[in-house]
Amino acid sequence: KHFFRKFNGFGVSWSVLTYLQALADKFKCEKVNIFIHFKKDNEEIIYFAPAFKFLKSEKSYTDDTSKVGDFQKILSLDEFTRVEKK
Protein backbone atom coordinates (compact mmCIF):
# COMPACT_ATOMS: atom_id res chain seq x y z
CA LYS A 1 0.00 0.00 0.00
CA HIS A 2 2.67 2.43 -1.05
CA PHE A 3 1.25 5.71 -2.34
CA PHE A 4 3.29 7.33 -5.10
CA ARG A 5 2.70 11.08 -5.07
CA LYS A 6 4.46 11.41 -8.41
CA PHE A 7 1.79 9.21 -10.02
CA ASN A 8 -1.07 10.02 -7.60
CA GLY A 9 -1.62 6.32 -7.17
CA PHE A 10 -0.63 3.02 -5.62
CA GLY A 11 1.87 0.42 -6.74
CA VAL A 12 1.83 -3.35 -6.61
CA SER A 13 4.86 -5.54 -7.21
CA TRP A 14 5.05 -7.05 -10.70
CA SER A 15 5.79 -10.48 -9.22
CA VAL A 16 2.62 -10.34 -7.08
CA LEU A 17 0.50 -9.24 -10.04
CA THR A 18 1.75 -11.97 -12.35
CA TYR A 19 1.28 -14.59 -9.61
CA LEU A 20 -2.31 -13.47 -9.02
CA GLN A 21 -3.01 -13.51 -12.75
CA ALA A 22 -1.59 -17.03 -13.06
CA LEU A 23 -3.86 -18.20 -10.22
CA ALA A 24 -6.86 -16.50 -11.84
CA ASP A 25 -6.11 -18.24 -15.14
CA LYS A 26 -5.60 -21.60 -13.44
CA PHE A 27 -8.88 -21.45 -11.55
CA LYS A 28 -10.74 -19.67 -14.36
CA CYS A 29 -11.48 -16.58 -12.27
CA GLU A 30 -12.99 -13.79 -14.30
CA LYS A 31 -11.45 -11.02 -12.22
CA VAL A 32 -9.03 -10.62 -9.30
CA ASN A 33 -9.34 -7.37 -7.37
CA ILE A 34 -6.59 -5.60 -5.46
CA PHE A 35 -7.77 -3.86 -2.29
CA ILE A 36 -5.93 -0.95 -0.70
CA HIS A 37 -6.90 -0.14 2.88
CA PHE A 38 -5.35 2.71 4.85
CA LYS A 39 -6.10 5.48 7.32
CA LYS A 40 -5.89 9.16 6.50
CA ASP A 41 -6.71 11.75 9.13
CA ASN A 42 -8.34 9.01 11.27
CA GLU A 43 -10.63 8.02 8.38
CA GLU A 44 -10.52 4.48 7.03
CA ILE A 45 -10.36 4.47 3.24
CA ILE A 46 -10.71 1.43 0.98
CA TYR A 47 -10.04 1.39 -2.76
CA PHE A 48 -10.11 -1.53 -5.18
CA ALA A 49 -9.22 -2.19 -8.78
CA PRO A 50 -8.88 -5.28 -10.97
CA ALA A 51 -5.35 -6.69 -11.14
CA PHE A 52 -5.44 -6.55 -14.95
CA LYS A 53 -5.64 -2.74 -14.77
CA PHE A 54 -2.31 -2.70 -12.96
CA LEU A 55 -0.80 -5.06 -15.52
CA LYS A 56 -1.97 -2.85 -18.40
CA SER A 57 -0.80 0.37 -16.73
CA GLU A 58 2.03 2.21 -18.45
CA LYS A 59 3.18 3.69 -15.15
CA SER A 60 5.90 1.77 -13.35
CA TYR A 61 8.57 2.22 -10.70
CA THR A 62 11.77 0.35 -9.88
CA ASP A 63 13.63 0.75 -6.61
CA ASP A 64 17.19 0.88 -7.87
CA THR A 65 18.61 1.34 -4.36
CA SER A 66 17.84 -2.22 -3.25
CA LYS A 67 19.76 -5.30 -4.37
CA VAL A 68 16.55 -6.99 -5.48
CA GLY A 69 14.95 -4.02 -7.26
CA ASP A 70 11.21 -4.21 -6.72
CA PHE A 71 9.52 -3.49 -10.07
CA GLN A 72 6.03 -2.14 -9.46
CA LYS A 73 3.12 -1.27 -11.71
CA ILE A 74 1.30 1.90 -10.66
CA LEU A 75 -2.40 2.68 -10.92
CA SER A 76 -3.70 6.23 -10.45
CA LEU A 77 -6.38 6.88 -7.84
CA ASP A 78 -8.87 7.90 -10.53
CA GLU A 79 -8.72 4.32 -11.89
CA PHE A 80 -9.72 2.79 -8.53
CA THR A 81 -13.21 2.39 -7.12
CA ARG A 82 -13.62 3.75 -3.63
CA VAL A 83 -15.67 1.64 -1.22
CA GLU A 84 -18.14 3.86 0.57
CA LYS A 85 -18.76 2.94 4.19
CA LYS A 86 -22.39 2.40 5.13
Side-chain angles (χ1 to χ4, degrees), residues 17-33:
L17 290 168
T18 55
Y19 176 73
L20 289 174
Q21 189 61 54
L23 283 177
D25 293 345
K26 179 179 179 179
F27 294 106
K28 297 180 177 32
C29 291
E30 186 175 314
K31 184 177 7 177
V32 175
N33 285 316

Side-chain angles (χ1 to χ4, degrees), residues 3-18:
F3 185 76
F4 289 87
R5 289 184 193 170
K6 176 180 178 179
F7 300 111
N8 191 38
F10 289 96
V12 175
S13 175
W14 174 259
S15 60
V16 170
L17 290 168
T18 55

